[in-house]
């Protein structure tokens, strides 16, 4: 992965976490075992899945963290790369 692409994804994640409102939390946020290594959240568009994930990252890891990153798998970068590519880049 190009450095610029990686930093764009990291900056996008930091911006989205910073900007998410904590005023209203989704009811499912306390029903998910956030300690699982992989969590899949399925549902219709516009039902709050992304908001819930961003709120969790903000609450658990804070605004200045290097432990969590939010990426959307519909990002065009994933058309030619896998999540494994992202993980490998993140661990370097």
């Amino acid at each position: 992965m190009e450095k610029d692409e990686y930093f764009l994804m990291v900056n996008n994640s930091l911006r989205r976490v910073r900007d998410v409102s904590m005023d209203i939390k989704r009811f499912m946020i306390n029903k998910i075992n956030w300690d699982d290594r992989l969590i899949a959240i399925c549902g219709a568009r516009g039902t709050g899945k992304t908001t819930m994930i961003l709120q969790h990252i903000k609450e658990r890891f804070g605004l200045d963290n290097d432990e969590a990153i939010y990426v959307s798998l519909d990002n065009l970068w994933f058309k030619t790369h896998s999540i494994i590519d992202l993980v490998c880049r993140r661990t370097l």
Side-chain angles (χ1 to χ4, degrees):
M1 174 190 305
E2 294 291 325
K3 241 185 203 183
D4 292 341
E5 293 171 330
Y6 174 75
F7 288 113
L8 281 173
M9 279 197 243
V10 170
N11 287 337
N12 183 52
S13 174
L14 292 171
R15 181 185 52 78
R16 301 233 13 216
V17 169
R18 182 194 68 219
D19 293 347
V20 73
S21 172
M22 299 297 284
D23 293 341
I24 299 172
K25 292 187 184 174
R26 305 305 186 250
F27 75 97
M28 289 294 298
I29 200 164
N30 295 320
K31 296 182 183 279
I32 295 172
N33 182 357
W34 294 101
D35 293 324
D36 285 344
R37 290 183 51 93
L38 178 65
I39 299 167
I41 301 173
C42 302
R45 295 184 128 211
T47 58
K49 300 177 301 293
T50 299
T51 298
M52 183 173 58
I53 293 167
L54 293 169
Q55 287 174 335
H56 172 72
I57 293 171
K58 188 175 195 174
E59 188 173 73
R60 183 164 181 180
F61 300 101
L63 295 176
D64 188 25
N65 83 81
D66 59 358
E67 296 180 63
I69 183 174
Y70 170 80
V71 294
S72 176
L73 295 182
D74 65 0
N75 183 312
L76 289 177
W77 184 82
F78 288 106
K79 185 173 174 117
T80 57
H81 299 82
S82 71
I83 190 113
I84 300 299
D85 295 330
L86 177 66
V87 171
C88 289
R89 172 58 181 95
R90 188 155 168 80
T91 58
L92 293 178

